[in-house]
Amino acid sequence: MYRYDEFDQGFVTQRTEQFKDQVRRRLLGELTEEEFKPLRLMNGLYLQLHAYMLRVAIPYGTLNGRQMRKLAHIARTYDHGYAHFTTRQNIQYNWPKLEDTPAILEELAEVEMHAIQTSGNCIRNVTADHFAGAAADEIADPRPYAEILRQWSSLHPEFSFLPRKFKIAITGAPHDRAAVQVHDIGLQLTRNEAGDIGFVVFVGGGLGRTPMIGRKVRDYLPEEDLLAYSEAILRVYNRFGRRDNKYKARIKILVHETGLEELKADIEAEFEKIRYGVLRLPDEEVRRIEAYFAPPPLEVLTALDTSVEARKASDPAFAQFIAHNLNEHRVPGHTSVTISMKPIGGIPGDASDAQMDVIADLAERFGHDEIRISHEQNVILPHVKIADLPALFDALVASEMAEGNAGLITDIIACPGMDYCALATARSIPVAQRISERFGGAERQAEIGELKIKISGCINACGHHHVGHIGILGLEKKGEEFYQITLGGSANENSSIGKIAGRGFSSETVVDAIETLVDTYLGLRTSKEETFLDAYRRIGEEPFKEALYGVA
């Protein structure tokens, strides 16, 4: 994984010192809150409903045991003993004191971490496939390119104050696990007929108030043109993006209002001006950064591990974990393990300081000291020997992190909602907990199969509800919380925006409504292999709407 050089370390240390002085002046009253706000936001510090919230960047979701232990230490020392993994592969602390934030940033800098550009109208943390560098279906590891984009975009003088926030995601496999089509720029690694690496480029995806799927602007962008083309897109957006209305300031609105062909022409014209300049990627520089991401030395193991098979036969919980929480590895005899941060009845994405310490230990013991955070709010050990699965599972059981529910109905994405967020109009966490408890039985989850539920506490869609197979949006209506349901969303290579089913449900009835949808699906599917999304796409919305609301 990437290691800071002298420039990186000096850069982060300098920014930490600057912010320490800014906090000092705010505490002394030399800066007003309005003056302080853009400064703190560029350093990941929000003012939430009850306290400050600090969002720490985990670039492309990759970290090691030492860094995870530092995150645990910060939760224990400066917060309430826990933290929250987000859909941007970041981690959030919900209760830091303003006067402590410089010390937190100093501690983060000790382990090559920071909170720069995790907020504000700038290029945010670049995200990637959480199985990058390990997945069997991968064309190439996308993380070297994500790192190149990180270096290019950090405090970019031209793009530090964009019309609105800007998000980039990259995947290295045909099966999209990074939701690239719902990002401002989405990149999918591909190869041309000669076998050369390049990118399929999508522009203008995004959720929030006006959800849109990204539009393809390039079928093949050569590797060496990655930065020049990205800069061309940002320049066009920065020049023409609307600044008069923050609700229409994202690049997706520019794509919609300008038209795809005209916007592509603008991007290509800008690209041709800068294509052969300083942004052209030298092959030796790409290979230098790529060397940081060399995979660990993994022995090819082809023999079936009898201990794992025997344990599956005797332990149903272990068998369920194996069935749902593993992803096929490129090296035989190994696997990528999802550690679910979605215990039944728990808060999606939350981890205690003790659990983070355990994850660090397990990564060093079983996973070649590599950890990933997924945009689905789970933790991944990407390189685990199959023979080590029984011992790993036992350690997870002891730490209450052994839920075998990855991709199932209880693997719910949820934003913090009105329990924390000043923008939220309803609570997300209690709804997620009650759904998890309602469907928490192992047999019932297995019977339902793959079903992605995503919950947002407001229209900003931090819980990605628009691309949930079942999406839930919390709204306020006459002082009460109501929940609008969307159906048929997806965030993979066949992305789609869910359709609103109809009128909303109260907090008391929304879980019953979800159960009605699930029961309707079970009654209509053609086989156990047909997922909820497949069934919805086959039969349409009417049977589900009729089950929820009756015949009009």
Side-chain angles (χ1 to χ4, degrees):
M1 57 183 289
Y2 186 75
R3 295 285 188 271
Y4 278 13
D5 58 19
E6 290 182 3
F7 177 86
D8 293 314
Q9 194 62 56
F11 171 78
V12 171
T13 300
Q14 181 186 52
R15 291 292 294 175
T16 300
E17 287 299 313
Q18 290 173 346
F19 189 60
K20 181 190 292 186
D21 184 60
Q22 291 161 357
V23 170
R24 179 190 63 80
R25 288 187 287 147
R26 174 69 186 115
L27 291 171
L28 290 174
E30 296 175 6
L31 290 174
T32 66
E33 171 54 29
E34 282 305 303
E35 292 169 329
F36 182 57
K37 182 177 179 179
L39 303 175
R40 64 171 169 78
L41 288 178
M42 287 294 284
N43 289 278
L45 189 64
Y46 285 76
L47 185 56
Q48 293 281 74
L49 195 60
H50 307 294
Y52 283 99
M53 179 271 281
L54 181 66
R55 180 182 294 148
V56 176
I58 304 176
Y60 35 90
T62 297
L63 70 165
N64 58 26
R66 176 169 170 254
Q67 292 170 321
M68 183 64 86
R69 281 198 190 87
K70 178 62 76 173
L71 297 177
H73 164 75
I74 291 170
R76 193 161 42 243
T77 307
Y78 302 103
D79 207 279
H80 289 180
Y82 70 96
H84 177 75
F85 294 112
T86 79
T87 53
R88 192 112 216 104
Q89 296 181 314
N90 292 322
I91 190 169
Q92 294 181 178
Y93 296 99
N94 288 313
W95 301 99
K97 296 177 182 176
L98 177 59
E99 56 267 32
D100 287 337
T101 53
I104 296 173
L105 296 183
E106 287 176 339
E107 297 222 29
L108 288 169
E110 292 174 2
V111 295
E112 304 178 8
M113 298 186 78
H114 61 78
I116 298 168
Q117 291 183 200
T118 57
S119 181
N121 293 338
C122 56
I123 301 171
R124 300 287 185 89
N125 187 35
V126 178
T127 57
D129 181 356
H130 42 272
F131 297 127
D137 62 341
E138 189 172 76
I139 294 170
D141 188 341
R143 293 175 301 154
Y145 305 102
E147 172 57 27
I148 289 168
L149 289 166
R150 183 191 72 84
Q151 293 185 18
W152 160 77
S153 64
S154 294
L155 296 190
H156 193 302
E158 192 173 343
F159 306 138
S160 289
F161 295 95
L162 294 166
R164 279 288 275 133
K165 58 188 176 182
F166 201 93
K167 299 178 180 180
I168 302 173
I170 180 168
T171 183
H175 177 45
D176 178 14
R177 291 175 288 261
V180 300
Q181 292 183 36
V182 289
H183 280 75
D184 298 289
I185 294 178
L187 300 166
Q188 183 171 358
L189 279 164
T190 187
R191 291 187 186 273
N192 64 11
E193 292 181 357
D196 300 321
I197 284 288
F199 307 90
V200 181
V201 183
F202 298 90
V203 171
L207 303 179
R209 186 175 296 269
T210 312
M212 293 185 183
I213 299 298
R215 308 290 296 277
K216 188 189 293 185
V217 293
R218 273 273 181 152
D219 286 309
Y220 182 82
L221 177 74
E223 177 187 73
E224 63 267 23
D225 292 327
L226 173 63
L227 291 188
Y229 200 78
S230 298
E231 181 127 339
I233 294 170
L234 264 296
R235 283 187 175 184
V236 169
Y237 169 53
N238 206 21
R239 187 185 313 151
F240 298 117
R242 294 183 59 172
R243 295 176 186 268
D244 62 318
N245 184 335
K246 70 177 183 178
Y247 301 120
K248 297 184 178 181
R250 297 290 294 271
I251 193 173
K252 61 188 177 185
I253 303 299
L254 182 63
V255 174
H256 176 72
E257 293 186 345
T258 304
L260 181 64
E261 294 308 314
E262 183 178 342
L263 191 74
K264 280 174 63 177
D266 289 340
I267 294 169
E268 292 291 337
E270 186 66 38
F271 175 54
E272 287 303 319
K273 292 178 186 177
I274 61 178
R275 182 175 190 177
Y276 299 105
V278 296
L279 291 174
R280 193 169 179 84
L281 279 175
D283 183 73
E284 61 271 18
E285 179 64 9
V286 177
R287 305 289 82 84
R288 182 186 73 82
I289 292 179
E290 196 173 60
Y292 281 100
F293 297 92
L298 301 177
E299 181 185 0
V300 175
L301 304 168
T302 56
L304 183 68
D305 190 276
T306 55
S307 65
V308 172
E309 295 304 308
R311 179 71 179 269
K312 283 169 60 179
S314 64
D315 185 346
F318 179 74
Q320 181 178 355
F321 185 85
I322 296 299
H324 301 293
N325 289 41
L326 305 186
N327 193 71
E328 186 180 1
H329 201 283
R330 66 196 320 169
V331 179
H334 296 78
T335 188
S336 297
V337 177
T338 296
I339 300 174
S340 174
M341 308 314 296
K342 319 286 179 60
I344 303 304
I347 299 174
D350 275 14
S352 69
D353 58 319
Q355 288 176 324
M356 286 188 274
D357 280 333
V358 168
I359 291 169
D361 293 341
L362 295 177
E364 292 168 350
R365 183 180 170 193
F366 298 113
H368 298 269
D369 199 23
E370 281 199 43
I371 303 165
R372 310 284 168 76
I373 308 304
S374 76
H375 80 275
E376 295 172 326
Q377 300 177 295
N378 290 320
V379 176
I380 316 296
L381 300 183
H383 309 292
V384 176
K385 192 181 295 185
I386 289 175
D388 288 334
L389 288 173
L392 172 63
F393 179 75
D394 290 339
L396 292 173
V397 169
S399 303
E400 299 181 346
M401 293 187 290
E403 199 66 52
N405 64 346
L408 300 181
I409 190 170
T410 60
D411 184 14
I412 299 167
I413 290 177
C415 72
M418 207 163 61
D419 285 306
Y420 297 99
C421 182
L423 300 176
T425 48
R427 291 174 296 171
S428 301
I429 292 172
V431 175
Q433 290 173 305
R434 287 161 46 214
I435 293 172
S436 176
E437 290 166 347
R438 179 75 64 92
F439 295 97
E443 291 184 4
R444 193 170 194 199
Q445 290 189 73
E447 172 67 14
I448 295 167
E450 181 187 11
L451 206 172
K452 296 181 182 293
I453 293 180
K454 305 182 181 186
I455 308 174
S456 300
C458 79
I459 198 66
N460 289 310
C462 293
H464 293 189
H465 68 277
H466 293 295
V467 288
H469 301 168
I470 297 176
I472 302 174
L473 168 63
L475 300 165
E476 184 272 333
K477 183 178 179 181
K478 297 181 179 179
E480 295 185 13
E481 295 168 277
F482 270 75
Y483 295 87
Q484 186 182 81
I485 291 175
T486 55
L487 300 171
S490 175
N492 62 15
E493 64 276 12
N494 298 309
S495 288
S496 56
I497 301 299
K499 292 185 177 181
I500 298 172
R503 65 181 182 274
F505 294 85
S506 69
S507 177
E508 290 75 23
T509 60
V510 65
V511 179
D512 292 334
I514 301 304
E515 186 162 34
T516 296
L517 291 170
V518 171
D519 289 343
T520 302
Y521 151 65
L522 292 175
L524 292 172
R525 68 182 181 184
T526 56
S527 70
K528 196 171 181 179
E529 285 66 44
E530 185 177 43
T531 67
F532 180 93
L533 183 61
D534 290 339
Y536 176 84
R537 286 176 170 174
R538 175 176 59 83
I539 61 181
E541 63 184 356
E542 289 307 319
F544 296 98
K545 292 178 68 171
E546 183 176 329
L548 286 175
Y549 305 110
V551 179

